[in-house]
Amino acid sequence: MAVEALRQHTIPFFAPLLGDEEIDSVVETLRSGWLTTGPKAKRFEQLFAEAVAAEHAIAVNSCTSALHLALEAVGVGPGDEVLLPTLTFASTGEIVMHLGATPVLVDCGSDFLMDVGEMEAKITPRTKAVVPVHYGGHPCDMERLLRIAGERGLRVIEDAAHALPARYGDRPIGGLGDITCFSFYANKTITTGEGGMVTTNDAELADRVRLMSMHGISKDAWKRFSAEGAWYYEITAPGYKFNMTDIAAAIGIQQLAKSDRFWERRAEIASRYDAAFAPTPEVVTPPTELHVQNAWHLYVIRLQTELLTISRNEFITQLNDAGIGTSVHYLPLHMHPLYRDRFGYANSDLPRAADLFDRIISIPIHLKLTDDDVEFIAATVNGLVDEYRR
Ligand SMILES: *Cc1c(COP(=O)(O)O)cnc(C)c1O
């Protein structure tokens, strides 16, 4: 390709943006001598709860742990079914199995989001909870989903790993369902290296999550070892070890302060891509509803492969050859051996996600991209379409 020669360096699919604030905050924490869950984690929880307008926030070591604790707190166990979209990451389904329950996979629309109508049709007397995923940072149709869940007695645990800062109407994602779970993995919209957050407006659920995040011990380590606290504690349930360290929280506090600024830049990149692909019908851009704020964790293009002479995989190879990092979100869960073999899913059982899988490419949307990078990526995609138009 002609554009190849223009570029000397490669553009990574993702790169976190960490500044002196994060570095200084970690150094200060190391010097303080308090490394694990303590004052920094508490502060991060308070700031995060405020940011997403939730009453309670519990900092944990990953979003996978957050989801695990959330489903445990609402009582998911053996014999239960949990509804979740097939187009998601491993975590959303595996935690259901860890608790002895059965994941029931739901297909998605061309907006990549779980089809709420199909979700409703798959409710059975065993269905205990639903785990919607705000794919790419675009909130699901929460009004309809919460209404159905309310009518049918289901608990709603939101997988908001992509959804900081996202809004549904004028409400931030974080206080809509029973419990919401966020990720601070290295490639998420803000990071603590590894980390996660549970948010809820239900004090009892918050207590249960906090208890189970620390061995089911009735007092957390901070109180246990601080001067005011008692040495006495009791184990009340077989809990987990899912707490967040103060080292991670020190990074999180600084990243959270930058979250809206980060979002503004990602939204700007998204609108540049939208404009660049508008004249190219072969490249369908991610839809965004007017009543939501998309967090823009991902920018996923959908190729109209019937209009092209190359496949999605070949398209990816060409982008990578041009120095552009890409990803695919996701191979749908029902197409993985685990779900095929254990639950008997065939690819055609959830045909829309299977079809989408052959068309989608996630292109870079992150804070290290320059305007030139964005222009180069868009020009390369459009150039490939011109070259391989049927
Ligand atoms: C990243 C991710 C998770 C897991 O987050 P961790 O913090 O890495 O455990 C869960 N669900 C989705 C949709 C994700 O993208």
Side-chain angles (χ1 to χ4, degrees), residues 222-223 225-230:
W222 191 30
K223 283 182 202 145
F225 295 117
S226 65
E228 317 85 73

Side-chain angles (χ1 to χ4, degrees), residues 61-67 87-94 133-136 159-162 181-188 193-197 297-298 329-330:
N61 61 358
S62 75
C63 182
T64 307
S65 301
L67 289 163
L87 197 66
T88 187
F89 184 59
S91 313
T92 326
E94 76 198 13
V133 176
H134 304 302
Y135 178 100
D159 181 339
H162 301 176
C181 301
F182 295 88
S183 176
F184 313 126
Y185 183 66
N187 68 8
K188 294 291 162 50
E194 298 275 6
M197 192 73 78
H297 167 56
L298 301 176
H329 298 88
Y330 298 90

